[in-house]
Amino acid sequence: MPRPLTPRIFLTGSASHLARAWLPKLCADPRIERVIGIDLAPAIFTHAKFTHHVCDIRSPELGALMSGSNALVHLAWVVLRGKMNATTMHDINVRGTQRVFEAARSAGISRLIHLSSASVYGGGENLRESAPLNPIPDFLYAQHKGEAENYLALEFPQALRLRPHLILGPYCQPVLKQLPHQPCYPRLPDPQPRLQCVHEDDVADALSAGLFNPISGPVNLASVATFSFKEMIMARHRYTIPLPFGLVKAALNISWRLTGYGGEPAWIDGLRNTLTLDCTRAQSELDWWPKFDADATLAAVK
């Protein structure tokens, strides 16, 4: 089957952390004719192929901005809500996603790519894409990703839904940048839960591959090696401090409620679960292999 060309891209979240890693590669690709991006924040990146609009994904202008595009890549998402109320976060993440894909359908856009997350699984070992979605309760980011995936599976089965593990790199979320540098870690029983990560450049490569490959449905993305949170901290610090898990979560909760820093602390519950992925489908059908191993990915977080 010939691979469809998708040179005119409509990109949501075009000022996001991942977009900052991907846009230079994307615009340097001679197959790409143009990229129209929207985000609530101004874009830092500039290029002759790239046009950025400061716009909400729920805006009625969405359809007009999509006109002439033949590929949608949906990156826009509220990850950590700070003091944003839960209703607004859901409206942006879930209803906003529905609005984006419905507008793409009306605009006749044929190639649809959604950036989901491995957090939709909640936990498990060596999980394939057929594993049930069981996001951690009260972790709204993961809950919303799962809800959006269920909607897309029913309404847009032709869409590619990428499920990367923890995305790290020079442009990653500030909270994720700080995590490896903490001298303390939550005390957990042995054997320590295992995790994976994936470099932002490898996720960018998967997005690019998806533009020129008709693969649909969910696809896992992760580096091969696994590690524990404890190992990640001890590798960077000569002296480390184990803290009771309940104390760490309580401190995060107080910080969030007083300052709005980050998001609801339920995300830390994920550290108690092993979550590792089988990426066979990405390798065999998307022709994607991570260029960065776990050590190199963690080292890229400065």
Side-chain angles (χ1 to χ4, degrees), residues 45-78:
F45 176 76
T46 59
H47 193 278
K49 293 182 181 180
F50 176 57
T51 303
H52 179 80
H53 298 272
V54 176
C55 180
D56 193 303
I57 60 173
R58 300 165 295 173
S59 170
E61 301 175 15
L62 201 60
L65 292 173
M66 285 185 179
S67 179
S69 298
N70 55 16
L72 165 69
V73 180
H74 181 44
L75 304 184
W77 205 265
V78 178

Side-chain angles (χ1 to χ4, degrees), residues 4 48 87 125 144 149 151 164 167 170 190 211 244 253 279 301:
T87 300
E125 187 173 359
H144 294 171
E149 280 226 43
Y151 166 78
I167 302 175
D190 291 324
L211 289 170
N253 187 52
C279 297
V301 183

Side-chain angles (χ1 to χ4, degrees), residues 170-186:
Y171 297 114
C172 71
Q173 289 279 345
V175 170
L176 296 182
K177 280 191 174 186
Q178 294 172 12
L179 278 180
H181 300 286
Q182 302 302 313
C184 55
Y185 60 91

Side-chain angles (χ1 to χ4, degrees), residues 115-214:
L115 186 75
S116 186
S117 166
S119 65
V120 297
Y121 295 118
E125 187 173 359
N126 205 31
L127 296 174
R128 291 181 177 268
E129 289 83 356
S130 57
L133 305 190
N134 187 29
I136 294 169
D138 299 323
F139 183 19
L140 296 189
Y141 167 82
Q143 290 284 333
H144 294 171
K145 286 290 190 185
E147 191 172 344
E149 280 226 43
N150 288 332
Y151 166 78
L152 293 174
L154 289 173
E155 296 293 331
F156 295 90
Q158 75 275 29
L160 171 62
R161 309 192 309 272
L162 296 175
R163 293 175 181 168
H165 214 303
L166 193 65
I167 302 175
L168 300 176
Y171 297 114
C172 71
Q173 289 279 345
V175 170
L176 296 182
K177 280 191 174 186
Q178 294 172 12
L179 278 180
H181 300 286
Q182 302 302 313
C184 55
Y185 60 91
R187 186 187 298 120
L188 297 170
D190 291 324
Q192 295 288 304
R194 308 304 294 176
L195 302 170
Q196 286 171 298
C197 59
V198 60
H199 197 286
E200 60 195 21
D201 284 350
D202 284 326
V203 179
D205 288 345
L207 290 167
S208 293
L211 289 170
F212 299 95
N213 188 312

Side-chain angles (χ1 to χ4, degrees), residues 9-11 14 23 27 33-39 43 45-54 65:
I9 299 160
F10 188 83
L11 174 65
S14 52
L23 278 169
C27 291
E33 181 180 324
R34 75 177 195 200
V35 181
I36 295 176
I38 66 166
D39 201 298
F45 176 76
T46 59
H47 193 278
K49 293 182 181 180
F50 176 57
T51 303
H52 179 80
H53 298 272
V54 176
L65 292 173

Side-chain angles (χ1 to χ4, degrees), residues 211-243:
L211 289 170
F212 299 95
N213 188 312
I215 183 176
S216 63
V219 174
N220 292 336
L221 303 174
S223 61
V224 177
T226 70
F227 56 92
S228 70
F229 190 80
K230 177 181 177 180
E231 290 169 350
M232 179 179 71
I233 298 300
M234 294 185 71
R236 287 177 175 259
H237 299 277
R238 184 175 180 181
Y239 302 104
T240 59
I241 307 169
L243 298 175

